Amino acid sequence: MNFQLSEERQQLQETVREFAQKELEPDVLARDEKGEYPLHLYEKMGEMGLIGLPYSIEYGGSGKDYLDYAIAVEEISKVDASVGISYSVSTSLYGGSISNGGSEEQKREFLPNVLSGKSLGSFGLTEPDAGSDAGGCITTAVKKGDNYILNGLKCFNTNGPLSQHFAVYALTQPELGSKGLSCFYVKKDTPGFSIGKIENKMGIRSAQVSELLFENCEIPETALIGKEGDGFKIAMKTLDGGRIGVAAQGLGIAEGAFEIARKYLMTREQFNKPLYKNQYLAFKMAELECEIEQAKYMLYKAALDKSEGRPYTISAAKAKLVCTEAAMHVTTEAVQMLGGNGFMKEYHVERMMRDAKITQIYEGTNEIQKLIISGSLFR
């Protein structure tokens, strides 16, 4: 067992860290305030080979693995969790849907534009009445000759307003419930497909999240990913990988807030001494450091499980749970340690706390992660 990152991975880590600090950090507060997404910087990430890191070169990827990808999401999210989740959705959820269910021909056609960073990808599963109960969706895809007709609505779609490529889940046999769910590739300019309400969010404000509307949207049968009825299986496998991405996002948020608090405690003086000389605060930081380190090992194990072909459903659920709980806890403590300054936007930690909250909710609430983990204990 080796806990040391290889030299190649350390180099990747440093490259992404430098990009995040030099390119993402300068305007991150303005983007959060205005709710604007840095599309030009996302495209630059594509040019660096980051978007398709864990996919083979033949599909537009970089031929690396899921640990490389998790490290990249972690480093991006230390600075800007909005870009972190946008990146994760394109790679894990859109890319995962096509990769997990698609034919070779579909992978070669539907992956390269997204994995190269030329366009963002989006993932349409959640509906107003189908959240944790992913099988409860009512969007339908009715076969008509050589086409399918989609009707329905998807909500909370990260990248929705910016994407050109979508993996959408709809019922081809509604009477079968989740067993009648199928996965489809949909392109943005398809007649009958439109972007609905763009959400006004508490956190990850720079990330663009919207509804997807389908009104007699006609797509070719070649857009069916896998077979009819494979959708639920594809979605669950895809979400397992996506949870590793969200875990990496959570870990990055925690690390970013921790570093701000650490530097603040060293420079801020009260009662004629720096704050870190207060043993309570020093001990609190020691506890948070251990919490972050534990979360990191859970994340890296899950990423390696996926990369090396081992079962990763449970390890991904554990990583998602532990890393996102750490994100919420560390950011809350960081705001408290900075006192009044922690409540001010220019110190970043209040933004990180707002960003952290959603990591406990999306891609499977942490209650769902506990359900998955506990279910594995009593089989």
Side-chain angles (χ1 to χ4, degrees), residues 346-362:
E346 62 263 34
Y347 285 84
H348 294 278
V349 289
E350 69 84 29
R351 170 179 59 86
M352 292 174 168
M353 185 175 75
R354 288 187 284 108
D355 289 347
K357 185 61 206 173
I358 190 60
T359 69
Q360 296 178 304
I361 298 171
Y362 53 25

Side-chain angles (χ1 to χ4, degrees), residues 142 144-151 185-187 190-193 214-221 223:
V142 176
K144 180 184 177 183
D146 293 335
N147 298 315
Y148 285 92
I149 310 298
L150 270 63
N151 280 286
Y185 165 80
V186 182
K187 198 169 183 180
T190 305
F193 173 41
F214 302 93
E215 299 179 56
N216 295 321
C217 175
E218 191 166 345
I219 58 175
E221 63 180 355

Side-chain angles (χ1 to χ4, degrees), residues 127-128 138-141 149-155 168-170 192-194 211-217:
E127 298 182 4
I138 59 173
T139 295
T140 59
I149 310 298
L150 270 63
N151 280 286
L153 178 151
K154 298 293 180 178
C155 63
V168 176
Y169 293 79
F193 173 41
S194 62
E211 295 175 329
L212 309 180
L213 307 179
F214 302 93
E215 299 179 56
N216 295 321
C217 175

Side-chain angles (χ1 to χ4, degrees), residues 365-377:
T365 64
N366 283 2
E367 289 74 18
I368 289 293
Q369 307 316 309
K370 292 175 184 178
L371 189 66
I372 293 169
I373 297 163
S374 64
S376 73
L377 299 176

